[in-house]
Amino acid sequence: MLGGGGLVAANVYASATEDGGVEPVRTRSSPAGTIDCPDVGSRLTAVPDGAKEDVAKELALLDEQIAEAYQRLQNSAQAVQQDEGFADSAIMTPLKDKRTATIERIAIAIGRTGDRPAGMESLAPCTLRAAADDNGDAGDGQDGGGDNQEGADQGGADQAEAGQQPDNGGQVGNGGQAGNGPVAADYVDIKSVQPNVSAPAPQKGASRGTFTTSCGVNENGLFNSDNVIVAPGVSNGAHHFHDYVGNQSNDAFASDEDLANAETTCVDQGDKSTYYWPVLRLQNGTQEQDANKPGGGIEGNAGEIVTPKEVTLTFVGSPRGKVTEMPRLLRIITGDAKAFVNGPANANASWSCTGFEDRQLKDKYPLCPQGSDVVRSFKFQSCWDGQNIDSANHRTHVAFAAADGSCPNGFQAIPQLVQRIVYDVDAPSLQDGGRTTPLFAVDSFPEQLHKPVTDHGDFINVFDGDLMKQMVECINAGRECGAGTDGGGKPGEEEPAGEPAEEPTGEPQPTQSTGTPPAGNDDPEPGDGKGDDGKGGAPATQEPETGEPEPEAPASEPAKDDRPTVSSTVAPKADGTPPATEDTTGSARDGSANDDAGAGAISTPAQTQPAAVGEDSTGGAGTEPQAVGGNLAETGAQMWPAAAGAILLVAGFLLLMRTRRRTG
């Protein structure tokens, strides 16, 4: 009777933990937080031509040093918890020493042919940003052998994001398939976000036209972890994988001549420009081609690479006047791949869902309702200094327009590239850590924890001169042109004049986001802002009001009068994907209604949960699924032990009664 009762009880308990989540899901995680180092490259304002190659390689070495230190931090998580001084002595101080030597070599290289930069040695120390405690508060940063506390002025808010939400199905530490994110706090239900997009009114003489180039969705599978703009000549300079469309010769060693002579995936062969961005992955345990390579699984970028459903590349004009031609080989980077530790000054991420694109998120991934797709978009800088095709920090030669659409003094308006990338991915199941429906996230530097705010895009202009001239004439004339535009016009052919429904965007409506650019950067115009409802403008993260806003039904295709007619290359929809006509008024799929439903600003601390000691945090690089099995629920998932226990219980009871009759 005792044995049978025990079997029944054990089996019922196991079934309860499997279905109800009483027993937490175990994930690969690190309780040690992350490493925050000053971004040396962004501080360089002038690098002589003769020093550029050496400086680029040394900057790439700094990134490699941080990645190696973060990997050691993950692998030593238990030792860090057991000995408070271990991280400082074994990780942070050696990292500081390496950075000091590398930064000195940068200063020497610049000083050979120019003015040696002063004060760079202060950028060597890094800060260990600890995981969160039981109250959701981030631990104190450890100094790493110096007194530099850059990043601490963010109020410790971002440190909390290195932890985990209480409602995350037991996920702990930095979370994610490879132990470096994302976490449940990185997602928000798009329906809980208030509309936050606006646009400046166009003035007389505004350039209202659009020019579209159609270059595919990277169906060719061109990926690498290089970045020819930031780290030319350095393999794995990005430490994360990029999608490439357009130019097919883009890698770390591509020269300007290589780019000019390359093949292109663009419909109009006169566009050999290169467009690239970090890949989006499903953290479902899939081993991709890069599973055991630098930039991939070795550096925490693990899971299935998702091919975009649609990529739209549109160039738009200025609300203040005419635009001028882009110089050939102009390089533009928008967003900041290190925004999680650098802060939001250069962040330009913009996340939304189809049907809800008047609501844009900077520092959260969207949980989209059924039938709605994830949208990531970028609005590139639209002002050029008139002289340089690049700059020392790859930013100061271009600028964003002000809220009214005007360029800074000394800058002139150029066509603004607007990228819109759509993905057919389901909202992840946050309540079980992504076991039922996997988490999705962009690739990142390992210490950036796959935060959505780190999203970024890169562009090098390799348009044919005649085609660029046609683009500018089209935009200034207020027409809709380009390969694949409605009407079937030839590349560069002008269509009948028509005023587009949207204009280049400007200042967002006031929100609680801290993503506002610093003075002098004006309005960074983050995101596409092209919603299916026709509302355009610069998105910003906004804290939702109490109560859920009335949802908007997403549309599978926008009406022609919703926005400028543009061409899109669309990949076939995967089998089993719900059509856009399905009900979209319910809550987001699989756990979208979490406690972190608001589109929280970067400076708002996430409520977190402390990491558990002893979790597997070794590098491994993403060969396991997000949730790792092996608990009681798996051994007792079937009910046969309970049935056997019941038989034993009944048999024991009958035997007892029979024995009592005999003794009576």
Side-chain angles (χ1 to χ4, degrees):
M1 289 176 66
L2 290 174
L7 276 175
V8 172
N11 195 208
V12 170
Y13 173 75
S15 299
T17 61
E18 179 184 43
D19 298 333
V22 175
E23 193 75 11
V25 176
R26 293 190 294 132
T27 60
R28 299 173 59 82
S29 58
S30 168
T34 192
I35 294 174
D36 182 347
C37 296
D39 187 0
V40 176
S42 65
R43 311 295 179 91
L44 298 177
T45 57
V47 176
D49 290 341
K52 285 183 177 179
E53 182 177 351
D54 289 339
V55 169
K57 291 181 178 179
E58 297 296 345
L59 290 174
L61 180 58
L62 289 174
D63 289 335
E64 183 178 340
Q65 291 164 358
I66 297 171
E68 290 174 351
Y70 178 79
Q71 185 66 52
R72 187 167 188 189
L73 181 66
Q74 277 195 310
N75 295 342
S76 307
Q78 190 168 353
V80 170
Q81 284 209 331
Q82 293 174 350
D83 181 1
E84 293 182 359
F86 178 85
D88 186 57
S89 62
I91 300 174
M92 303 304 291
T93 296
L95 175 60
K96 178 196 171 187
D97 294 341
K98 292 178 181 178
R99 285 174 57 84
T100 298
T102 304
I103 291 172
E104 175 64 16
R105 290 195 295 271
I106 291 175
I108 291 173
I110 295 175
R112 288 195 188 106
T113 54
D115 295 332
R116 179 186 170 103
M120 290 186 62
E121 61 276 1
S122 66
L123 305 178
C126 300
T127 301
L128 176 61
R129 288 163 57 159
D133 60 24
D134 289 322
N135 298 319
D137 299 322
D140 295 333
Q142 296 183 27
D143 204 354
D147 56 4
N148 178 14
Q149 291 294 324
E150 177 167 337
D153 58 354
Q154 299 177 41
D158 290 347
Q159 294 182 12
E161 290 195 271
Q164 185 55 276
Q165 285 277 23
D167 61 343
N168 59 2
Q171 197 178 13
V172 294
N174 292 338
Q177 178 176 325
N180 67 331
V183 296
D186 293 328
Y187 299 84
V188 67
D189 185 349
I190 193 64
K191 294 187 295 181
S192 70
V193 181
Q194 298 297 316
N196 53 20
V197 172
S198 64
Q203 298 187 4
K204 184 178 180 180
S207 47
R208 303 168 182 261
T210 64
F211 184 94
T212 299
T213 184
S214 181
C215 301
V217 295
N218 195 21
E219 52 268 73
N220 294 343
L222 178 58
F223 309 105
N224 63 50
S225 58
D226 300 340
N227 192 328
V228 71
I229 296 178
V230 176
V234 180
S235 295
N236 191 38
H239 295 267
H240 54 265
F241 263 51
H242 287 124
D243 266 316
Y244 290 88
V245 300
N247 200 290
Q248 295 295 284
S249 293
N250 190 337
D251 61 24
F253 305 96
S255 65
D256 291 347
E257 184 177 336
D258 292 332
L259 296 175
N261 295 328
E263 298 293 325
T264 180
T265 64
C266 298
V267 173
D268 192 321
Q269 294 293 294
D271 181 11
K272 294 187 177 182
S273 301
T274 178
Y275 309 84
Y276 58 107
W277 53 82
V279 299
L280 188 83
R281 295 184 195 251
L282 293 177
Q283 298 203 350
N284 57 7
T286 298
Q287 291 196 43
E288 284 281 6
Q289 57 179 298
D290 61 345
N292 297 308
K293 296 179 181 178
I298 289 178
E299 297 188 85
N301 293 306
E304 177 185 351
I305 295 175
V306 182
T307 300
K309 174 183 177 181
E310 177 183 347
V311 174
T312 305
L313 306 170
T314 307
F315 293 85
V316 301
S318 165
R320 293 293 297 264
K322 306 302 182 184
V323 295
T324 189
E325 296 178 19
M326 290 182 177
R328 188 170 173 83
L329 298 172
L330 176 69
R331 288 150 163 80
I332 307 180
I333 297 174
T334 194
D336 184 0
K338 302 174 184 177
F340 178 56
V341 298
N342 284 351
N346 290 314
N348 194 16
S350 193
W351 296 88
S352 190
C353 304
T354 54
F356 298 87
E357 290 179 69
D358 61 340
R359 314 169 190 200
Q360 297 287 331
L361 300 165
K362 178 186 288 290
D363 59 344
K364 302 288 179 184
Y365 293 116
L367 297 172
C368 302
Q370 189 173 16
S372 176
D373 294 323
V374 171
V375 181
R376 61 194 285 210
S377 49
F378 304 101
K379 287 195 170 183
F380 283 69
Q381 294 89 319
S382 58
C383 302
W384 172 51
D385 69 3
Q387 298 180 4
N388 302 294
I389 61 171
D390 200 0
S391 50
N393 60 8
H394 312 293
R395 296 187 185 277
T396 54
H397 64 297
V398 288
F400 290 100
D404 62 358
S406 62
C407 287
N409 290 335
F411 285 72
Q412 52 192 279
I414 56 175
Q416 181 183 36
L417 171 59
V418 178
Q419 283 183 187
R420 181 175 179 269
I421 310 168
V422 182
Y423 295 91
D424 181 10
V425 294
D426 295 331
S429 54
L430 302 183
Q431 72 277 7
D432 63 4
R435 179 167 61 180
T436 303
T437 305
L439 306 175
F440 65 83
V442 292
D443 268 21
S444 73
F445 285 92
E447 76 282 356
Q448 300 297 316
L449 308 184
H450 300 287
K451 297 298 181 185
V453 74
T454 65
D455 202 11
H456 56 282
D458 301 75
F459 166 71
I460 302 177
N461 170 38
V462 198
F463 270 86
D464 174 83
D466 290 339
L467 186 58
M468 174 58 66
K469 182 177 180 180
Q470 291 176 14
M471 176 200 294
V472 169
E473 290 176 349
C474 167
I475 292 173
N476 287 337
R479 294 180 169 87
E480 298 167 0
C481 315
T485 52
D486 287 357
K490 295 180 181 179
E493 181 178 355
E494 296 181 349
E495 296 188 8
E499 184 172 320
E502 286 188 356
E503 300 300 331
T505 62
E507 185 175 12
Q509 297 172 355
T511 70
Q512 298 180 18
S513 172
T514 59
T516 305
N521 196 28
D522 297 315
D523 176 29
E525 304 179 15
D528 181 16
K530 291 187 177 182
D532 289 348
D533 58 359
K535 298 178 182 179
T541 305
Q542 181 173 7
E543 200 71 34
E545 298 175 1
T546 304
E548 182 173 294
E550 190 171 333
E552 302 175 16
S556 58
E557 294 290 338
K560 289 186 178 181
D561 59 349
D562 282 344
R563 52 181 174 154
T565 304
V566 296
S567 160
S568 303
T569 303
V570 181
K573 196 174 184 69
D575 293 340
T577 303
T581 55
E582 290 188 16
D583 177 43
T584 61
T585 59
S587 60
R589 294 162 289 182
D590 295 323
S592 63
N594 54 43
D595 290 344
D596 187 48
I602 294 177
S603 63
T604 303
Q607 297 302 311
T608 57
Q609 177 173 310
V613 177
E615 290 286 347
D616 177 14
S617 60
T618 56
T623 58
E624 298 184 26
Q626 164 68 13
V628 182
N631 55 20
L632 183 59
E634 292 181 346
T635 60
Q638 300 181 12
M639 294 302 296
W640 65 264
I647 294 173
L648 284 175
L649 185 62
V650 172
F653 178 75
L654 293 176
L655 181 61
L656 179 62
M657 296 300 295
R658 195 169 180 183
T659 303
R660 290 184 63 184
R661 287 196 192 99
R662 287 183 178 179
T663 57

